[in-house]
Amino acid sequence: MSRPDIVARRIGREGQPIAIVDGFHPDPDGLRAAAAMAVFEPGRHHYPGIRAALPADYFARVRPALVPVLREVLGASGVELLDASFSIVTTPPDELGIEQRLPHVDAVEPGRIALVHYLAPDGGDGTGFFRHRATGFETIDAARSAGYLATLNAELRADPPAAAYPFGDTKLFERIAHVEARYNRAVIYRSALLHSGAIPSGAALDSDPAAGRLTVTAFLSAA
């Protein structure tokens, strides 16, 4: 069995760390087989698609890749799992809510960490990271949140975004980094980073785990 290949990067003006891990899980084909048998339900918290439960041993099997990333790249000596699931983006662009047309953060609390594990054989579309042009913010923490939302909401009232997933640069946001999806690759980053699934116009958004944009998404809290 090959060892995971871990690459650390710092992105944007704020120099936030992200980690890209190839060979994240020792049996990605087995994971896909589990997803094919899983029961998917509509996602919560504005997720534009469907989600299903993971195999019980998922985190035990990715621990050799995850632990050094958390410790050496993100400075977390231990973590608590908050939420994790198989996920597939399925919502057509013309059905997206306003929030879903924008880069977002998963949490503003300190110590929160996000993980996306790509499981589509062709890689899928990856993840983009963004800077809000008006404020210059690339991360949104509790101190920045109120000012950022006030500025953003004023912009949205004046010029609502088109019905599309955020992919590249837009009027309101500049893309500062893009992690290309590859089979069995994971990207791990602080939840306060502005980001979005990098889903281009015209992408096929199939709900079948065998054909769709299958990922694992997880949210952790650093100890």
Side-chain angles (χ1 to χ4, degrees), residues 8-11 15-19 73-74 188-190 193:
R9 293 172 55 190
R10 289 190 176 271
I11 62 171
Q16 284 287 329
I18 66 172
V73 180
L74 296 172
I188 303 160
Y189 51 92
R190 291 184 175 135
L193 272 163

Side-chain angles (χ1 to χ4, degrees), residues 85-107:
S85 61
F86 286 123
S87 303
I88 307 174
V89 172
T90 58
T91 304
D94 60 1
E95 296 180 15
L96 294 173
I98 295 295
E99 299 91 342
Q100 295 168 323
R101 304 176 191 179
L102 304 168
H104 64 279
V105 300
D106 297 317

